[in-house]
Amino acid sequence: MKFFADTSDINEIKDLKEYGLLDGVTTNPSIIAKSGKEFIPLIKEICEITDGPVSAEVAATDYKTMRKEADVLRNIADNIAIKVPLTQDGLKVCKELSDEGTLVNVTLCFSSGQALLAAKAGAAFISPFIGRLDDICFQGLDLIADILIIYDNYPEYDTEVLVASIRNPMHIIESAKMGAHVMTAPPKVIKQLYNHPLTDKGLAAFVADWEKTGQSIL
Ligand code: E4P
């Protein structure tokens, strides 16, 4: 499973990279607004640090303006993935950019029918938002299962399922069990995967017992 960082925080991105946990980055207008930084220079910096795809989202919602914005964004770096919303106009932009060889991440997906349309438009990634579905009492993970079944039925679709809106480590584990290609999560959630109380307890016992030996390896 590829791990994307759902953040624009440069220090967090560099940190994940050092631990081998950075296969890409996703951003959205809310994440950029929270950073308080200039959008284009920030994305450029993230692209320089990140070896994999970096999703930068268009701000407009109409076809013409989205297309113009996408052309600006894809010139930032070779590893840009243009993020477009799952609307009719968004998928029109997706089709054009994909035909031209640009990676497109279709965002705000909440149904398997929408995911089918994104695959037909040639999207490199479909981003189903599972946490937001959970928030309104729908099983977000069920959507991942459905999309994977549909995509598996049609090997000609190259679209990767990018599980988004992840809120906890179980979202990552369950998505991985189903074989989702990619997940994007806040770095804090990714790091929760390290934690287990028995690891902490076991390590404390090993450290204490080693001290009793009075030995040193170095
Ligand atoms: C990723 O591409 C999405 O923008 C992100 O995962 C949304 O997460 P949220 O529902 O926590 O805002």
Side-chain angles (χ1 to χ4, degrees), residues 48-66:
E48 281 163 10
I49 300 165
T50 311
D51 295 326
V54 174
S55 291
E57 189 161 342
V58 294
T61 56
D62 65 287
Y63 162 73
K64 245 182 156 175
T65 322
M66 273 194 279

Side-chain angles (χ1 to χ4, degrees), residues 142-207:
D142 286 354
L143 175 59
I144 302 304
D146 286 348
I147 297 172
L148 286 168
I149 289 169
I150 291 170
Y151 283 7
D152 277 355
N153 285 340
Y154 301 96
E156 66 270 28
Y157 295 153
D158 294 328
T159 309
E160 295 193 355
V161 178
L162 195 176
V163 183
S165 186
I166 282 180
R167 305 266 198 264
N168 58 62
M170 284 311 289
H171 276 156
I172 301 174
I173 294 162
E174 292 302 320
S175 300
K177 278 162 71 179
M178 286 186 257
H181 310 86
V182 194
M183 72 86 201
T184 188
K188 194 181 88 186
V189 177
I190 295 175
K191 288 185 178 168
Q192 283 178 305
L193 289 170
Y194 282 113
N195 301 339
H196 198 288
L198 291 181
T199 304
D200 298 341
K201 193 179 166 197
L203 186 59
F206 287 157
V207 167

Side-chain angles (χ1 to χ4, degrees), residues 25-46:
V25 172
T26 52
T27 65
N28 63 37
S30 305
I31 287 172
I32 299 300
K34 201 174 132 202
S35 77
K37 294 188 176 170
E38 277 285 308
F39 181 33
I40 290 181
L42 178 58
I43 291 293
K44 195 166 188 283
E45 192 178 355
I46 295 171

